[in-house]
């Protein structure tokens, strides 16, 4: 990974290599065809809503660029941007294009996870929004898994049986998600069905 040193004249950037092994050089075959991807260095720290254990740090996709000239700093030309970029943003090599073609299937083992965050700046998600969940490879989550969304039942007061008492209502299932990317402790899923907003702390489990 490399760090942006300066934004001189839009859309030209100069970038520093973070390590000697990660120097930025243009392709030998075509100096304008090597692409890289911006990721914001200061992303959200993802924590388990129950244990508060740090699960990872999220990086925000900013745009794409092509390396024009090697060296340290190297010269990079911006191809596209989704938001403003500048000094200290992170530049990494673009991964190979991947076509996700995993059939939806139910996990073979019980999964117990929580929604960690809604991707982007939204506090609540809806249909086709992306959520981060607190389970990954180590928990047996796979690409293609379908998980159900549910919310802990409310605590209500029963006033109709002689004496007042608190009763916990059953958990309410309200949607389904499809897992499309996994890491060791975190996965990303797209909300396929929901009849209410998806919030941090909502449960995910094997249907």
């Amino acid at each position: 990974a490399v760090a942006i040193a300066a934004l001189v004249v839009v859309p030209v950037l100069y970038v520093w290599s973070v390590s000697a092994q990660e120097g930025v050089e243009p392709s030998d075959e075509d100096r304008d065809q090597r692409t890289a991807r911006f990721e914001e260095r200061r992303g959200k720290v993802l924590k388990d809503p129950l244990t508060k254990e740090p699960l990872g740090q999220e990086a925000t996709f900013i745009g794409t660029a092509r390396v024009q000239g090697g060296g340290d700093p190297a010269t990079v030309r911006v191809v596209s941007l989704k938001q403003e970029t500048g000094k200290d943003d992170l530049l990494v090599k673009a991964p190979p294009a991947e076509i996700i073609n995993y059939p939806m299937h139910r996990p073979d083992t019980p999964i117990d996870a929580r929604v960690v965050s809604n991707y982007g700046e939204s506090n609540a998600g809806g249909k086709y929004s992306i959520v981060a969940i607190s389970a990954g490879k180590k928990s047996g989550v796979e690409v293609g898994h379908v998980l159900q969304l549910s919310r802990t039942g409310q605590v209500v007061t029963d006033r109709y049986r002689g004496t007042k008492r608190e009763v916990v209502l059953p958990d309410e299932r309200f949607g389904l998600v499809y897992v499309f990317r996994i890491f060791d402790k975190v996965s990303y899923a797209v909300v396929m069905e929901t009849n209410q907003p998806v919030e941090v702390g909502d449960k995910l489990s094997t249907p």
Side-chain angles (χ1 to χ4, degrees), residues 179-196:
V179 177
F180 66 88
R181 192 170 187 190
I182 57 173
F183 299 91
D184 285 344
K185 296 183 178 181
V186 175
S187 299
Y188 284 88
V190 59
V191 179
M192 302 301 294
E193 297 178 12
T194 183
N195 57 26
Q196 55 185 285

Side-chain angles (χ1 to χ4, degrees), residues 132-193:
I133 68 175
S134 62
K137 293 178 184 177
K138 292 184 176 180
S139 300
V141 177
E142 301 174 359
V143 173
H145 273 173
V146 175
L147 303 174
Q148 71 176 15
L149 281 162
S150 61
R151 187 160 295 154
T152 302
Q154 293 181 319
V155 177
V156 298
T157 301
D158 182 355
R159 305 167 184 255
Y160 308 102
R161 298 180 187 237
T163 58
K164 291 194 298 184
R165 61 175 185 147
E166 290 188 341
V167 177
V168 179
L169 298 178
D171 290 353
E172 178 187 2
R173 172 179 164 170
F174 65 92
L176 294 170
V177 303
Y178 170 82
V179 177
F180 66 88
R181 192 170 187 190
I182 57 173
F183 299 91
D184 285 344
K185 296 183 178 181
V186 175
S187 299
Y188 284 88
V190 59
V191 179
M192 302 301 294
E193 297 178 12

Side-chain angles (χ1 to χ4, degrees), residues 55-173:
L55 304 175
Q57 186 166 22
E58 198 168 70
T60 303
F61 175 75
I62 298 173
T64 59
R66 289 195 177 102
V67 179
Q68 287 197 315
D72 197 14
T75 304
V76 173
R77 180 170 292 276
V78 174
V79 175
S80 64
L81 285 176
K82 296 191 69 174
Q83 56 182 279
E84 184 179 354
T85 187
K87 288 180 64 176
D88 296 329
D89 283 343
L90 191 64
L91 187 70
V92 297
K93 184 179 179 181
E98 181 181 2
I99 298 176
I100 299 176
N101 187 24
Y102 294 90
M104 297 183 182
H105 60 284
R106 181 180 182 272
D108 294 328
T109 57
I111 301 295
D112 182 15
R114 296 293 186 276
V115 174
V116 174
S117 77
N118 284 284
Y119 188 75
E121 303 299 324
S122 176
N123 292 323
K127 190 173 183 179
Y128 303 135
S129 65
I130 294 173
V131 295
I133 68 175
S134 62
K137 293 178 184 177
K138 292 184 176 180
S139 300
V141 177
E142 301 174 359
V143 173
H145 273 173
V146 175
L147 303 174
Q148 71 176 15
L149 281 162
S150 61
R151 187 160 295 154
T152 302
Q154 293 181 319
V155 177
V156 298
T157 301
D158 182 355
R159 305 167 184 255
Y160 308 102
R161 298 180 187 237
T163 58
K164 291 194 298 184
R165 61 175 185 147
E166 290 188 341
V167 177
V168 179
L169 298 178
D171 290 353
E172 178 187 2
R173 172 179 164 170

